[in-house]
Amino acid sequence: GQNIDQPTEMTATEGAIVQINCTYQTSGFNGLFWYQQHAGEAPTFLSYNVLDGLEEKGRFSSFLSRSKGYSYLLLKELQMKDSASYLCAVRGMTTDSWGKLQFGAGTQVVVTP
Amino acid sequence: EPEVTQTPSHQVTQMGQEVILRCVPISNHLYFYWYRQILGQKVEFLVSFYNNEISEKSEIFDDQFSVERPDGSNFTLKIRSTKLEDSAMYFCASSGDRGRAKNIQYFGAGTRLSVL
C-alpha cells in the first residue's frame, strides 16, 4: 500500500506564493497527481509528474523527486478563488490497468485578503 | 469541454435498500472508476473497470457492491443493501485510451448518498 502525507492546512495572502509538500511511501509508483477540491465539489485535475523534475502550468507547478518520495505543488500569484483543498494522489503500478489513485488527506489552503 | 456526468446529485435511502448511482463517462474514455469520500475524510478508491470487467477493487468493494456498463454510455454502481456507513459522496471518474489522456482521471460532480 501507500502512505501519503501532506500538511493539514496552510494560510497565505492574496498575491503570494504557497508550496504544498507531499511525501509518500509506496511499494510501486506510476505517477503523482495533484487535484484541487472545493468544499462539496469534485476533485479537479491540476498537474501530474511521472518523471523527476518540474512541470509548469500557468500559475501552478508541480515537482517530483522519486528517490526522495517527495513532491510539491507551487501556487503562484494566489487568488481568493484558490482557497480550496489540494489533494496529493499516487498511482501505484498494477498489471491490469492504469491504476487506482491513492489520495492523501488534502491540504486546506486559506487565502486571505 | 467534455465532462463526467453523475445522477442523481443527492440520493436519500433507508438502511437495507438498494441504490444505483449512475455515471456517464467522457465519451471516448475507456477506463472507469468509482471513488467515495466520507464527510471530512480522504477520497478512497472503490473499483476500476476496463473492457467490460473489473480491473481492480479495494477492500471496501465487498459483495454488496457491483458495477455495470449496461450500454455504450452509462456506468453504474449498485449497493444492494445499504448500511449507515455507506453514507458518503460517491465520485465517478474516467480516463482516456492513449497518451497523456490515459494518465489523467477526470471526476464527476458526485452523488451524495445519505442512508437513514
Side-chain angles (χ1 to χ4, degrees):
Chain A
Q2 279 109 348
N3 194 33
I4 301 165
D5 291 309
Q6 50 182 131
T8 305
E9 185 171 312
M10 303 181 75
T11 301
T13 308
E14 201 174 6
I17 298 173
V18 70
Q19 178 175 314
I20 306 168
N21 296 325
C22 173
T23 58
Y24 63 91
Q25 294 170 319
T26 176
S27 55
F29 177 84
N30 192 21
L32 189 137
F33 296 75
W34 286 97
Y35 283 82
Q36 180 192 62
Q37 187 179 31
H38 285 98
E41 297 183 11
T44 304
F45 170 76
L46 292 177
S47 184
Y48 83 96
N49 300 69
V50 179
L51 302 176
D52 291 353
L54 189 68
E55 288 281 337
E56 295 190 84
K57 225 175 147 182
R59 293 191 299 115
F60 300 112
S61 305
S62 60
F63 171 83
L64 175 67
S65 168
R66 287 172 296 169
S67 62
K68 294 185 172 136
Y70 167 70
S71 172
Y72 67 73
L73 178 71
L74 199 67
L75 285 65
K76 301 178 217 171
E77 299 167 20
L78 278 174
Q79 302 174 9
M80 298 299 290
K81 67 178 182 181
D82 296 330
S83 291
S85 184
Y86 291 82
L87 313 181
C88 172
V90 173
R91 187 176 65 202
M93 189 75 75
T94 70
T95 57
D96 295 329
S97 77
W98 277 88
K100 63 188 180 188
L101 294 175
Q102 293 270 36
F103 284 86
T107 298
Q108 185 67 40
V109 170
V110 178
V111 181
T112 59
Chain B
E1 187 174 320
E3 58 181 23
V4 177
T5 306
Q6 290 186 244
T7 53
S9 56
H10 191 189
Q11 174 86 52
V12 181
T13 189
Q14 295 289 326
M15 191 169 57
Q17 295 297 304
E18 173 183 287
V19 294
I20 297 176
L21 310 183
R22 302 181 191 278
C23 169
V24 179
I26 294 172
S27 64
N28 62 343
H29 283 187
L30 298 179
Y31 299 86
F32 314 119
Y33 310 83
W34 283 101
Y35 293 82
R36 79 171 186 190
Q37 187 175 30
I38 295 170
L39 190 62
Q41 297 187 23
K42 63 176 74 172
V43 177
E44 301 174 287
F45 169 80
L46 293 178
V47 66
S48 60
F49 191 87
Y50 170 70
N51 201 25
N52 282 320
E53 58 183 28
I54 290 174
S55 302
E56 195 172 3
K57 59 184 181 179
S58 71
E59 291 175 356
I60 302 168
F61 195 89
D62 61 21
D63 292 345
Q64 293 301 311
F65 291 85
S66 63
V67 289
E68 192 179 31
R69 187 151 164 84
D71 53 44
S73 58
N74 290 285
F75 180 52
T76 61
L77 174 70
K78 183 194 290 187
I79 309 175
R80 287 191 187 83
S81 178
T82 50
K83 308 188 205 54
L84 295 176
E85 54 265 36
D86 293 329
S87 293
M89 182 75 98
Y90 287 80
F91 293 110
C92 174
S94 69
S95 61
D97 65 339
R98 60 176 65 88
R100 184 176 174 82
K102 197 172 182 178
N103 289 308
I104 302 168
Q105 294 179 28
Y106 294 93
F107 285 71
T111 293
R112 180 165 299 286
L113 177 65
S114 300
V115 182
L116 306 178

